[in-house]
Amino acid sequence: MLRKIDWESQIGRRLRLRDLHVFFTVVQHGSMAKAAGQLGVSQPAVSEVIADLEHALGVRLLDRSPQGIEPTMYGNALLKRSIAVFDELKQSVRDIEFLADPTTGELRIACPLAIAFTVIPHVVERFAEKYPRVVLHFDEVASVSAARNFPELRDRKYDLILARGNSLQAEEHRADDLNIDLLFDDQLVITAGPQSKWARRRKIDLAELVDEPWIMQAPHTWNYQRLAEAFHARGLDMPKASLVTLSMPVITHFLAKGQIIAAIPRSVVRFNSLNVLPVDLPVRPWPVGIVTLKNRTLSPVVERFIACAREVAKSMAGRPAGRLAHRRDANGS
């Protein structure tokens, strides 16, 4: 049985931030020697810090083998909290910088490609107009990354992640350490470019589109599954795809240039010269939202970015959702 650790005498007066930093660096590099090189100290000095930590806590923090060093279950527990400690310290420094100059700071965000192609540019544009001296770091992440519990967010790589659909709905009911701020509900629509023969129709039955050329996304995607649901509900076979891709730039390019059609989020249509075809589809919620950590204090810069995202979402709700095809030709059949 582990002995009870006395915080005041054993930890409070002995544990230093530098010790935690050394421990974190050793785990990160999997080697005492590599950690020493990174820190600019000798390997014995690193070993001494780790030994002192293990002595103070009364447990083994690292397992050593010829293959390298890995944290024990006790080491993982310390590592998890250490990441949070250093992250909060970095956040406090950011807050101080912001208080000294409210127009500066840094922000790290990420989202899947579909959001990066539609919503994000408009949020970033609005944010940059208001806070031009803030440095914004943006990455695209695969949607499967969000579905696996948002690891980059929990590792503090990002301040926030924008996500949509299944990953949001699953985490909203499962995770107790995440905040999910819903921005708007997207919707699947069938679209075509202005040159398409379908762009002049006032009403289209889904059965009429079975033999048309389609751009599809992969079968595991929300788009494909909802489209298949709509066709199967009518007792129809799924159309055969002329092109299968996840790339929204590629999809919108071919939609705009030719006779091909596709099922895509309504938010994509809003910001491109495409037509929403008047086809009845089952309404399914497809939320888009911002995910942050509950136990992480948001910096003022992050809060202002979220405010800009809400403003863009609100403006989208008040705009026509794409151009309805029958408006282009009131005399179409």
Side-chain angles (χ1 to χ4, degrees):
M1 182 176 178
L2 292 175
R3 60 184 173 83
K4 182 177 176 62
I5 299 174
D6 187 313
W7 166 260
E8 182 65 25
S9 62
Q10 293 178 249
I11 305 300
R13 297 179 182 178
R14 296 175 59 182
L15 187 62
R16 299 172 299 176
L17 284 175
R18 180 178 178 276
D19 298 337
L20 292 178
H21 181 57
V22 170
F23 169 71
F24 177 81
T25 306
V26 170
V27 173
Q28 188 178 39
H29 288 81
S31 164
M32 297 273 191
K34 291 179 180 178
Q38 175 68 28
L39 296 168
V41 298
S42 67
Q43 183 174 337
V46 171
S47 299
E48 183 179 356
V49 168
I50 300 300
D52 287 345
L53 273 176
E54 291 180 330
H55 178 73
L57 296 172
V59 294
R60 178 176 289 277
L61 299 174
L62 299 173
D63 281 332
R64 302 152 178 87
S65 72
Q67 287 73 39
I69 290 176
E70 293 185 353
T72 64
M73 64 177 182
Y74 308 114
N76 277 322
L78 180 62
L79 181 66
K80 178 181 177 182
R81 300 298 182 181
S82 297
I83 291 173
V85 167
F86 284 112
D87 181 67
E88 285 297 320
L89 284 172
K90 289 177 182 177
Q91 292 286 72
S92 67
V93 171
R94 291 181 184 178
D95 289 351
I96 292 170
E97 291 174 343
F98 186 85
L99 289 171
D101 185 351
T103 65
T104 63
E106 289 195 21
L107 179 64
R108 298 182 182 275
I109 66 172
C111 72
L113 177 58
I115 300 177
F117 185 65
T118 56
V119 182
I120 276 291
H122 300 275
V123 178
V124 170
E125 184 177 35
R126 184 178 296 247
F127 182 79
E129 288 176 355
K130 293 185 175 183
Y131 310 102
R133 294 173 60 192
V134 173
V135 179
L136 196 151
H137 303 268
F138 168 71
D139 291 333
E140 291 176 4
V141 293
S143 57
V144 292
S145 174
R148 293 173 181 168
N149 305 321
F150 299 93
E152 301 96 341
L153 188 64
R154 288 185 166 98
D155 290 341
R156 272 71 173 180
K157 180 178 179 181
Y158 300 116
D159 295 297
L160 61 88
I161 291 179
L162 278 84
R164 72 154 76 240
N166 294 338
S167 57
L168 279 183
Q169 293 165 329
E171 289 298 334
E172 188 173 21
H173 299 288
R174 181 174 58 197
D176 58 1
D177 64 337
L178 297 178
N179 280 317
I180 298 176
D181 187 357
L182 296 180
L183 294 175
F184 64 93
D185 258 332
D186 218 340
Q187 182 182 350
L188 188 71
V189 294
I190 297 179
T191 60
Q195 300 177 30
S196 171
K197 65 181 181 181
W198 299 103
R200 294 180 293 277
R201 292 281 296 272
R202 294 176 64 102
K203 187 167 181 60
I204 301 171
D205 188 274
L206 194 61
E208 298 179 78
L209 303 178
V210 172
D211 296 323
E212 291 300 303
W214 282 77
I215 298 180
M216 295 282 187
Q217 295 197 358
H220 71 272
T221 62
W222 195 95
N223 301 46
Y224 185 95
Q225 292 171 2
R226 298 293 78 78
L227 186 65
E229 181 182 279
F231 274 95
H232 293 162
R234 292 284 311 279
L236 302 170
D237 293 332
M238 275 288 281
K240 292 183 179 180
S242 300
L243 172 66
V244 178
T245 179
L246 293 174
S247 173
M248 279 299 168
V250 170
I251 291 173
T252 55
H253 170 82
F254 283 105
L255 283 172
K257 296 294 183 181
Q259 297 296 321
I260 206 160
I261 58 178
I264 60 177
R266 188 179 287 270
S267 60
V268 177
V269 179
R270 292 179 187 272
F271 303 116
N272 295 274
S273 299
L274 301 174
N275 299 282
V276 177
L277 300 185
V279 181
D280 288 333
L281 292 178
V283 177
R284 295 288 183 268
W286 202 7
V288 174
I290 293 175
V291 186
T292 56
L293 288 176
K294 281 184 180 179
N295 58 357
R296 187 185 195 195
T297 304
L298 297 181
S299 71
V301 173
V302 175
E303 292 175 343
R304 281 155 177 76
F305 184 86
I306 293 175
C308 287
R310 290 181 182 139
E311 291 172 6
V312 170
K314 185 177 180 180
S315 69
M316 288 174 59
R319 291 175 54 191
R323 298 182 297 172
L324 289 177
H326 69 266
R327 290 179 182 170
R328 294 178 51 78
D329 187 348
N331 297 319
S333 60

